[in-house]
Amino acid sequence: MTNSSTAAAAQGTGEAVVDDLYWRDQYEAITEDDAFLRDIVEGSDLPALMVALAAVTRDFSLLRDDLRPPQPPAEITGMPHGGMSGEQQVQARELAFAALKRVRDEKLTGVGTLTEAQAQDILTWITNAANPEYHPMLMHDMALVEGHGGKPKWNFRDIAVGRDFSVAVIGSGVSGMAAAYRLKQAGVPYTVFEKGHSVGGTWWKNTYPGVRLDTPNYAYSFSFAQRDDWPQQFSQGPEIFEYTRQVAERGGILDNIEFNTEVTSADYDETTGLWNVDTIDAGGRPATRLFNAVITAVGQLDRPKYPDVPGRESFAGIQMHSAEWDNSVDVTGKRVAVIGTGASAYQIVPAIVDQVSALTVFQRSSPWMLPTKGYYDDMPDSVQWLVRKLPHYGQWLRFWQHWLGVEGRQHTAVAEPGWNRPGSVSAVNEKVRRELTELLASQYQDRPDLLAKVTPNYIVGGKRMLRDNGVWAESLKKPQTTLVTEGLDRMVPEGIVTKDGVLHEVDIIVYATGFQASDFLEPLQITGRKGADLHEYWGGDAKAFAGITVPNFPNLFMVAGPNTGHVVNGSLYSMIEYGVEYILEAIRIIVENDLKGLDLKQEVLDGFIEKLDAASATKAWGHPSVQTWYKNRFGRVSQIWPYKVVDFWNITRTVNLDDYNQLA
Ligand code: NAP
């Protein structure tokens, strides 16, 4: 361990970490007494606290090898303090208490960046010496070591001598914002087209009652925008939307966004190497603009999917999709139907159950749930205090949460070769299923009728688990609630008729039935080389190299494209950021080499997809028995990254020119 205890050197250095829009130099001074500090240490998760203290005091001897959090792989939920033993905790708390006193007594109210060696020490400790292959990725993600974030290390004006070049970004949700911010940092001229009137994408659109995060909040943020004062562990929708708005503002990208402007088509002109991008504004006025590259950042969870049931238009009451919630509708005293029991329904039902006169939930399949007792809780006072008073504590908490989720529970979803017991893919997968089933049995012990209906019949890890703090079971057990498992037959003016012929009379129908996720980039018309139509080329089976590029569509790049999602681990933000960094690197190559463009070779995509499909087949979500929106109509998994997160990091670090035809 490096042991430099010259804490003064770390104090209020005024150094700016360039790659964090929420970077702060100064924190509030600690004025509280020893007893208070003891309580803070007692109530804190130790790994994040220990590394924050080591960083601020520059005393890395705190991070003793024998106190490393062992981090047994999480099967359902992770262990507190990364699985540190009782004895480790006692010793770590003593060290933490002394260090926290030192922060107070020496008035350490600021901390600068870390050197690479210091960051290595911290990484080795906090990851319990995980494979060093992860270190560059994690240094990027922590954004506390200068030069290791995702900020481009080049600038357009230095490499584009005499060259006009501009990029169209389609969409200003979190993917489009990441792309815009990196383009701005690199000085590349760009325009973002957004069909709505705000940034934030899904967090702008989804305003249904109860909308909130289902991944830990600190980790659900950009590495370049590490907000540290989240009010809750799983914040509510408006809070996340506000974050996206703030990031756009702080990142200085708003002026480059054309709101209320929908891109309808993009055509590649082989002669000029330019994309003709057709737009239509809110007044219906069409326009065509020329760009050298197009980045699509349109998300997959944008276009609502409705159940294919006859008579929908005949329903006489109000009907709305979860993503198109009409906040002028008052559900109070109404008979409400909620169709679907996925992530959106799980948040809507508990939020409205006490307002309605009757709630009928239509379930096709019941989801597995991840026990999360504190799902609705506010961030503990101790965390809020540490965020204000211990420099960079929020960043370290984010980092710790992020690291725990990087490969997370992926091991529970990997199929064991030769495993042939129905309902699971491996011994650990079966164990998780058994434990979750027992939890359900205890939740519904007073309602065996419901237990039979809510016990899922698919493999754990086949779909993303929902966060459960007990409110779903409570909602289903209420006298005003009916859980209907018979399939939908038709809709009539009075309500919904199920396959058993029963009419469920309702005033309002809520479709929590998901999105047309497999139809990547629909309804955009995209024409590439030699008139190739992207949707014809895909034929409903979207495939892209690393989810980013497609043969015959030069300089068309996708963020959050096919096979970049996750089920049991990983972070949406990482996948977006790493993908955007690959795109920026491709743009650098095109500009620097004065190319018209880069066109992926078909054989590269074919080889990539062959391996990817084979990897999907070895995961719970790829199992033939599992039906999800991760699979397209051909049964192929087109949504999920089947490898480790670090594999995506590695593949997006370099643009291998041999993979592309270079268009001069
Ligand atoms: P979803 O997960 O696709 O769930 C749709 C639900 O509707 C499923 O229960 C599905 O049943 C049901 N359904 C679809 N067609 C039906 C039919 N004809 N009859 C009866 N039921 C039908 O959609 P979502 O809940 O909107 O969530 C989509 C994704 O958005 C999630 O997976 C998640 O990634 C994201 N999300 C995240 C959050 C968050 O907290 N951050 C919140 C909401 C959504 P089957 O299961 O049988 O298909």
Side-chain angles (χ1 to χ4, degrees), residues 128 159 335 415 438 491 536 562 608 654 657:
N128 192 19
I159 62 169
R335 299 166 302 172
E438 282 163 11
M491 309 241 177
E536 268 176 32
F608 172 79
T654 327
L657 279 179

Side-chain angles (χ1 to χ4, degrees), residues 472-491:
W472 180 255
E474 275 169 30
S475 303
L476 293 191
K477 288 181 195 175
K478 296 215 175 204
Q480 67 271 37
T481 307
T482 311
L483 181 64
V484 175
T485 51
E486 284 77 21
L488 312 180
D489 185 64
R490 63 188 188 279
M491 309 241 177

Side-chain angles (χ1 to χ4, degrees), residues 73-206:
E75 291 172 359
I76 295 178
T77 47
M79 295 172 77
H81 311 291
M84 283 169 118
S85 69
E87 184 50 32
Q88 280 182 309
Q89 290 177 38
V90 168
Q91 295 198 31
R93 282 198 187 97
E94 278 315 307
L95 291 171
F97 173 61
L100 197 54
K101 277 202 303 180
R102 193 174 150 207
V103 175
R104 178 192 62 193
D105 298 342
E106 295 181 21
K107 299 188 174 40
L108 303 181
T109 54
V111 60
T113 51
L114 294 170
T115 65
E116 215 170 296
Q118 290 166 339
Q120 291 285 6
D121 281 353
I122 288 182
L123 282 178
T124 303
W125 189 85
I126 202 167
T127 66
N128 192 19
N131 190 335
E133 186 189 13
Y134 283 88
H135 285 196
M137 178 179 103
L138 294 176
M139 262 195 224
H140 165 285
D141 299 344
M142 72 167 67
L144 288 167
V145 187
E146 277 180 273
H148 282 269
K151 184 184 179 192
K153 296 179 180 59
W154 52 277
N155 196 283
F156 181 74
R157 69 172 172 270
D158 301 330
I159 62 169
V161 183
R163 173 150 194 203
D164 277 342
F165 194 93
S166 63
V167 180
V169 179
I170 309 176
S172 71
V174 291
S175 307
M177 286 168 55
Y181 184 57
R182 293 307 190 201
L183 288 166
K184 177 179 181 265
Q185 285 182 316
V188 179
Y190 70 95
T191 302
V192 182
F193 297 104
E194 166 56 56
K195 70 178 178 200
H197 62 76
S198 173
V199 296
T202 200
W203 296 105
W204 169 62
K205 282 189 163 179
N206 282 270

Side-chain angles (χ1 to χ4, degrees), residues 203 208 212-215 301 305 307-309 321-322 339-345 347 362-365 375 463-464 488 512-515 627 629-630:
W203 296 105
Y208 59 75
R212 68 164 67 227
L213 262 188
D214 66 2
T215 50
L301 305 178
K305 192 180 88 194
D308 190 13
V309 183
H321 190 274
S322 57
I339 305 176
T341 50
S344 302
Q347 297 178 336
F362 292 85
Q363 171 185 287
R364 188 165 66 184
S365 46
Y375 186 40
K463 302 183 199 181
R464 199 177 157 81
L488 312 180
T513 42
F515 300 86
Q627 302 299 318
W629 61 264
Y630 309 146

Side-chain angles (χ1 to χ4, degrees), residues 32-42 46 49-50 53 62 90-105:
E32 290 79 358
D33 63 15
D34 284 8
F36 184 93
L37 300 192
R38 278 254 181 235
D39 284 349
I40 289 287
V41 170
E42 200 57 44
L46 288 165
L49 181 64
M50 292 293 281
L53 285 165
L62 285 176
V90 168
Q91 295 198 31
R93 282 198 187 97
E94 278 315 307
L95 291 171
F97 173 61
L100 197 54
K101 277 202 303 180
R102 193 174 150 207
V103 175
R104 178 192 62 193
D105 298 342

